[in-house]
Amino acid sequence: MQMPVCVLGAHTTLMAQCILQVRRALHSVGSKIHPFVKEALDNGRPVVALESTIITHGLPYPQNLSTAREVEEIVRANGAVPATIGILNGCIRVGLQDDELECLAKAKNTVKVSRRDFPYVLSQGLSGGTTVAGTMIVAHKAGIPVFVTGGIGGVHRGGEKTLDVSADLTELGRTPVAVISAGVKSILDIGRTLEYLETQGICVATFGESRAFPAFFSRQSGFQAAYNVLNEEDAAQLIARSLALRLGSGVLIAVPCPEEEAASGQLIEDAIQQALQDSRERAITGKELTPFLLQRVNELTSGKSLNSNITLIKNNARVGSQIAVALNKIQRAQGRRGDPSLSRKMFSAPRPVVIGGINVDFIAKAKSSTLVDGGQTNPATVRQSFGGVGRNLADCLSRLGKSPVFISAMGKDEHSASVLRYCRHMDMSSVCQLDGHSTATYCAVIAGSGELRLGLGDMEIHQQITEQYVSGFRENLRRAPLVCIDGNVPVSTIQYVCQFAREHHLAVYYEPTDVDKASKPFFSDSWRALASISPNLRELRAINRTLGHPVPADLPSKLEDVVETAVALALPLLQELHCMVITLGQHGVLVCGRSMDGSVSLHPGSCSKTTAGELCATHYPALPVPVEEIVNVSGAGDSFMAGMIAGMLDGGNTDDCVRMGLLSASLSLRSYEPVSPEISAASVSMERVQSQRWLGTKAWTLS
């Protein structure tokens, strides 16, 4: 479980108990933590809390929804997991699903929920957006130490007479959460706000080289903060020290707006003054004042303040998520130096690990089953999709409810933004994004019959999935029930994973990817540490050639000959590998390995070379899919492997696991996406495959 403080020994254990207690309290009042958020917290990865009043009361539809989505993507792109907090039908949600975001964005008559409003809103089953104060409360109870917002509330102008002071300020004085904002809105009395923050004992620091306190749309307010932090590492150290002292109060990090936005600051300030005058004339006060002022300022600036508002929020999300990542590194290091049992608890939810490539795919499918060469244009449909063997495996496993740790790399470019948007249903927090690199792209030319005829790829970024980067996930690897690695990964990284597997007795499954990359583990003795591989017949021949074994010059097409050739090529490798799953395209799959209870054992933990029976092979025919329904074959093999692995993780027998894979593959064959969006834990389940009628299998004992 992730610790929200940086303390050692007994203090750390005590705080872990406190977090468990507050999570139980959160659950008792009716709450739901998004699975990705919970897994990130349980596995000690950085999480950033986000408020929802910007959705319900801050921005108009559809800008509120698009901004909320974009802010979450920025958090993911910077290495953290977003947790937008809101209330739906009387239930606190820590991490809103995309459809829940849309529900709040379109909802009418939602409540603006601060500390005082929780009892009523929850008891009446209402929906609402949490304010800064409300979000801080929930984030702290969930164990999230960093919260990003636009700007906090403060002392209203004339507050010395009206006592109109935002609950955000008192919440900062009693809830230990770091708030990353653009300072306070210039509609407020900034001087008195800073004085009130000091009275509450809140550490206030600006982000950057200056102590000039920002006023939301303006980089300077005429006031100074007590301190400044130069970068995200300094900010993280400040937050860590504050949490370690257990002061019970929060930290405010004020981030100036980007310089390119400051030019419009004076225009907006003039509009604010006019809006304040309008509010006085209309006698608007209390919680209705801020929404009125923001709407009026937007009208007076012809929308410029709205655009600036959105830019500020995105900038805060970038800075805040970088601070959260830096803080998380400190917390992990403190946990390892302290109570050793705590480090193990931080990683208490083992998950499968997938290491491999991400591609943006451009799929061109010809209208005809034959392609004309010579520079002529073949009529076709061209679509963009998202692939990469590792990504496909992680995608399918995620849809099947297995939520893998996905380790990969991509650039910081327009393609990476689209990848993160599409992969919103996956945990992408372990994917590094690198400046100066291009996200991998792949172009496939497919005949009308569904056969891949030509592939072109720019895959240099995959070389950045280095041994050094992967080694940062040692604890995830060590505790993983299963590790999948694809052939896009550099040889040195594959060797590192194999050596790690040998030392920690891990089950590693290798997906060869294509003929040219299939042999990477076989350049050395690394492959002997693998549990299983899943080549097609061409890849299996290439592997045997690398090992110096005799191989046929031509590969057969008739099923009986295909199986005979596959068995002959599998036998030399089965002296070391636990099992092999050879994909045969339209002919289905051939599973080869050691028998257990009459069938091939898929998982190495179930038997050993000394106790298992004879080597055997079982052929499983593919599910029949009419040619006219085949749309894309590029992800069928990956979907098969993920479906089979999901069955293994559920403890299924070999027949059911393989059939879960075949069902997943048949769905993806009918999809324009490499992994069909129709794949789910409901559409591909053990119960589903057990209720269906299947074509017969055939088994052989291997000599």
Side-chain angles (χ1 to χ4, degrees), residues 408-561:
S408 189
M410 57 184 178
K412 277 191 176 180
D413 51 22
E414 68 279 5
H415 290 316
S416 62
S418 62
V419 168
L420 291 172
R421 186 160 46 250
Y422 179 78
C423 297
R424 193 179 292 118
H425 62 289
M426 300 165 55
D427 179 358
M428 300 288 282
S429 62
S430 300
V431 177
C432 65
Q433 281 191 268
L434 301 171
D435 286 317
H437 291 269
S438 298
T439 301
T441 52
Y442 171 73
C443 180
V445 178
I446 299 174
S449 59
E451 297 175 354
L452 177 66
R453 293 296 178 85
L454 180 66
L456 300 171
D458 175 5
M459 309 289 185
E460 286 300 315
I461 187 68
H462 295 155
Q463 298 306 306
Q464 302 304 314
I465 311 173
T466 62
E467 172 186 347
Q468 290 75 19
Y469 183 68
V470 172
S471 67
F473 300 90
R474 288 187 295 271
E475 191 66 21
N476 298 102
L477 289 168
R478 187 181 67 81
R479 292 181 58 80
L482 184 145
V483 178
C484 296
I485 188 166
D486 78 22
N488 289 308
V489 176
V491 171
S492 59
T493 304
I494 294 174
Q495 291 175 342
Y496 167 79
V497 172
C498 288
Q499 179 60 34
F500 193 89
R502 183 179 286 112
E503 294 172 359
H504 296 276
H505 308 289
L506 303 179
V508 178
Y509 286 64
Y510 176 64
E511 169 53 57
T513 307
D514 62 36
V515 172
D516 293 333
K517 300 169 185 174
S519 297
K520 283 185 175 181
F522 300 88
F523 294 148
S524 67
D525 284 342
S526 297
W527 70 277
R528 299 179 189 276
L530 297 173
S532 178
I533 63 174
S534 53
N536 60 32
L537 205 55
R538 292 182 181 278
E539 293 161 351
L540 182 56
R541 180 175 63 173
I543 290 168
N544 273 270
R545 185 182 290 117
T546 299
L547 292 174
H549 300 147
V551 297
D554 299 308
L555 295 176
S557 57
K558 189 177 179 181
L559 175 58
E560 291 78 5
D561 298 331

Side-chain angles (χ1 to χ4, degrees), residues 279-292:
S279 68
R280 287 191 291 268
E281 292 174 354
R282 301 184 191 185
I284 298 174
T285 59
K287 65 190 297 182
E288 304 302 325
L289 179 59
T290 298
F292 168 79

Side-chain angles (χ1 to χ4, degrees), residues 284-353:
I284 298 174
T285 59
K287 65 190 297 182
E288 304 302 325
L289 179 59
T290 298
F292 168 79
L293 291 175
L294 293 176
Q295 177 62 32
R296 183 65 179 132
V297 169
N298 186 52
E299 293 171 357
L300 292 170
T301 60
S302 301
K304 290 182 180 178
S305 67
L306 178 62
N307 294 333
S308 295
N309 196 354
I310 293 171
T311 300
L312 286 178
I313 294 163
K314 292 179 180 179
N315 185 59
N316 292 347
R318 178 184 61 82
V319 173
S321 52
Q322 291 171 352
I323 291 173
V325 170
L327 175 63
N328 181 259
K329 291 179 180 177
I330 295 171
Q331 292 175 328
R332 283 172 175 259
Q334 293 281 0
R336 283 195 293 269
R337 289 203 302 267
D339 182 2
S341 65
L342 174 63
S343 293
R344 290 193 291 272
K345 290 176 184 177
M346 287 176 65
F347 302 94
S348 59
R351 299 186 295 162
V353 174

